Amino acid sequence: MNAPWTPGRAATTREPFAAFVCDEATAEALRPITVEMGWAPEKVNKGGLRNAVQTLSVSASPNILFVDLSESGDPLNDINALAEVCEPGTVVIAAGQVNDVRLYRDLVASGIQDYLLKPLNPDVMREAFTSAHAMLNAPKTVEAGPDRPHCAVAVIGARGGVGASTLATSLAWLLSEKNARATALLDLDVHFGTGALALDLEPGRGLTDAIENPSRIDGLFIERAMVRASERLAVLSAEAPIHSPVVTDGSAFFQLQEEMRGAFECTVIDLPRNMLVQHPHLVADVQTAVLTVEFTLAAARDAIRILSWFKSNAPQTRVIVVANRVQPAAQLEISRKDFEGSIERAVDYVIPYDAKLTAQAAKLGKPIADAGKGSKTVLPLIELATDIVEANDTATEDAATGKKPKGTATGGSLLGKLSGLTAKFPGKTAKK
Ligand SMILES: Nc1ncnc2c1ncn2[C@@H]1O[C@H](COP(=O)(O)OP(=O)(O)OP(=O)(O)O)[C@@H](O)[C@H]1O
Ligand SMILES: [Mg+2]
């Protein structure tokens, strides 16, 4: 079945494709697409699931297996019978006439890559085979370096639209490419996330499934649900329907983080501010928070509040303040100096406003760190990624030797900071 994928397993001794269908109409619909994919049309066999089980019990499993469930009285049970004879590494695509979301979910949970509704649509088949193919070509098991501790980073915007997701995607890309760490990008903006979009990927249903069925989240689920951007970068993101609220106690998110810790060296979490309010436990095991700000009064106020929140709720987390979309001094609502005075700490990194680069990155479907190699805008991001992994590795060494970890949330009372803010901007009232 499609998980667990064992890298290096002899794909050469296997047929690339085999199908077992129940009727001639399905075979006719399937054959031209198999030819398009470069597979032999004779590999489309009659006999449905039963024939698949019989055949595979005495022969090697193909890389991609298409199986028609139309004649199966109990598809879930029969799929389990198939799993017993099918070798690991085979990606299974099922088809059937039953249009039932529950069946679909149960099939996916039992290891099926996709379930296509009959009569088969050519575009849907192409899409399913292409993603099955991509899955086969992307080794799924990532070996974490033996000595490197897991590095979890949460990227939080002090205000909406400050570029937190832009930074999260680029950071994840840099950690995977420049710092060579197997990295997961977990986009917790479930309705409006851009993690997958920014990497030109379809988000898939993984995150939505995880929220609906947290008990199903395990290593295998992670392997199946995460969408690969490259050999070392995978994304879990969603475009949940906006007519339905996300109902969760946060356990799914926590569980996902837990599993990602086991499967990757770094996790970058795009963490919307409201998630911090609703599910504060999400940062319990996060070593680094990247608080993204702009040089505006509102961002200063909320940076103060979020810094204070970290001090009270997650004092173990190192908070790095990154100012993004920074315009030339004359166009700033607040100068850097005043901003730093208000939040009573330094801004660690400053990323210039660069509309040309963000537009270019969007057009290419790449993170800005990839689209803008060598650009001045990207330089601070490269430093930030390196800073994060180095501090993480050092903190773990220090923990072993009993030293205090590098910079945690800053001190000072919230009230004091707010009065500081008011003093800096007389005329403006710091709101509660
Ligand atoms: N350094 C930059 N220069 C210019 N534009 C930028 C920069 N960084 C991000 N942007 C742009 O700002 C917009 C908002 O970015 P993004 O979606 O990353 O913000 P966000 O903080 O995640 O927003 P939301 O609150 O909706 O989650 C996007 O159009 C993005 O391309
Ligand atoms: Mg965002």
Side-chain angles (χ1 to χ4, degrees):
M1 306 281 280
N2 60 347
W5 169 256
T6 319
R9 211 184 154 100
T12 43
T13 58
R14 296 184 177 205
E15 291 290 343
F17 174 77
F20 295 87
V21 301
C22 295
D23 51 88
E24 189 50 38
T26 305
E28 268 176 25
L30 192 53
R31 279 190 202 107
I33 310 293
T34 59
V35 173
E36 272 180 36
M37 297 297 295
W39 304 322
E42 304 81 63
K43 293 294 169 190
V44 178
N45 304 285
K46 285 282 188 59
L49 183 66
R50 193 174 315 149
N51 190 14
V53 174
Q54 276 169 7
T55 309
L56 297 184
S57 62
V58 292
S59 61
S61 306
N63 284 330
I64 296 173
L65 174 68
F66 182 95
V67 61
D68 189 343
L69 305 180
S70 308
E71 287 169 4
S72 168
D74 184 354
L76 269 181
N77 200 26
D78 292 350
I79 281 294
N80 288 336
L82 179 70
E84 278 172 27
V85 296
C86 196
E87 293 168 62
T90 292
V91 179
V92 181
I93 296 169
Q97 283 149 335
V98 181
N99 189 1
D100 177 351
V101 178
R102 244 170 317 163
L103 171 67
Y104 171 80
R105 288 205 187 113
D106 289 342
L107 286 172
V108 168
S110 65
I112 293 292
Q113 159 82 2
D114 210 344
Y115 174 74
L116 313 183
L117 207 55
K118 286 169 67 174
L120 295 171
N121 170 306
D123 286 338
V124 173
M125 278 190 281
R126 270 185 211 108
E127 201 180 307
F129 289 139
T130 308
S131 64
H133 204 252
M135 187 160 178
L136 280 167
N137 289 333
K140 287 288 184 183
T141 300
V142 180
E143 298 293 335
D147 299 316
R148 296 202 292 224
H150 187 81
C151 170
V153 189
V155 183
I156 302 154
R159 301 287 301 171
V162 292
S165 301
T166 306
L167 298 198
T169 321
S170 274
L171 199 53
W173 185 85
L174 285 166
L175 291 171
S176 69
E177 286 296 315
K178 292 255 186 272
N179 302 86
R181 309 275 168 133
T183 303
L185 173 61
L186 174 58
D187 181 354
L188 292 187
D189 190 348
V190 181
H191 285 107
F192 302 107
T194 48
L197 185 69
L199 294 162
D200 200 17
L201 298 168
E202 283 294 326
R205 284 172 287 255
L207 185 53
T208 322
D209 283 347
I211 294 165
E212 284 167 7
N213 294 297
S215 60
R216 293 223 177 112
I217 301 167
D218 58 10
L220 233 55
F221 179 92
I222 291 288
E223 301 234 332
R224 270 198 312 262
M226 295 206 66
V227 182
R228 289 260 142 196
S230 71
E231 203 185 323
R232 275 195 298 265
L233 177 61
V235 186
L236 195 58
S237 185
E239 278 166 31
I242 54 177
H243 52 76
S244 57
V246 172
V247 182
T248 173
D249 58 358
S251 61
F253 304 137
F254 195 68
Q255 184 83 15
L256 284 169
Q257 277 179 289
E258 188 86 2
E259 291 299 337
M260 284 176 185
R261 239 194 310 281
F264 294 87
E265 292 174 287
C266 296
T267 310
V268 177
I269 310 161
D270 186 342
L271 190 65
R273 295 178 297 168
N274 60 327
M275 284 280 187
L276 208 59
V277 178
Q278 275 166 15
H279 309 297
H281 62 284
L282 287 180
V283 291
D285 291 315
V286 166
Q287 292 85 23
T288 313
V290 173
L291 178 58
T292 314
V293 302
E294 280 178 331
F295 289 145
T296 62
L297 178 67
R301 183 200 65 181
D302 290 340
I304 292 169
R305 300 162 83 203
I306 294 170
L307 286 168
S308 170
W309 184 94
F310 268 97
K311 185 169 175 270
S312 315
N313 295 278
Q316 75 287 353
T317 303
R318 175 188 178 209
V319 184
I320 300 179
V321 178
V322 178
N324 187 32
R325 299 170 55 103
V326 176
Q327 305 268 12
Q331 291 169 36
L332 291 177
E333 187 176 313
I334 303 178
S335 72
R336 174 177 182 170
K337 198 162 157 271
D338 284 346
F339 189 94
E340 289 179 327
S342 301
I343 67 167
E344 293 182 3
R345 60 162 285 170
V347 167
D348 301 293
Y349 295 91
V350 173
I351 300 165
Y353 186 88
D354 189 342
K356 207 169 145 199
L357 175 57
T358 51
Q360 176 75 355
K363 276 184 207 149
L364 294 172
K366 288 179 173 181
I368 59 167
D370 188 6
K373 283 178 189 141
S375 120
K376 256 180 26 203
T377 310
V378 175
L379 215 59
L381 273 167
I382 296 173
E383 287 169 13
L384 172 66
T386 306
D387 177 354
I388 288 170
V389 285
E390 282 179 358
N392 193 66
D393 294 355
T394 319
T396 313
E397 278 166 30
D398 288 352
T401 56
K403 278 196 221 158
K404 204 173 172 287
K406 189 173 172 180
T408 47
T410 52
S413 77
L414 175 60
L415 197 65
K417 286 170 180 177
L418 279 171
S419 24
L421 183 69
T422 324
K424 290 277 172 207
F425 308 103
K428 311 237 184 198
T429 313
K431 294 187 193 102
K432 278 247 163 103

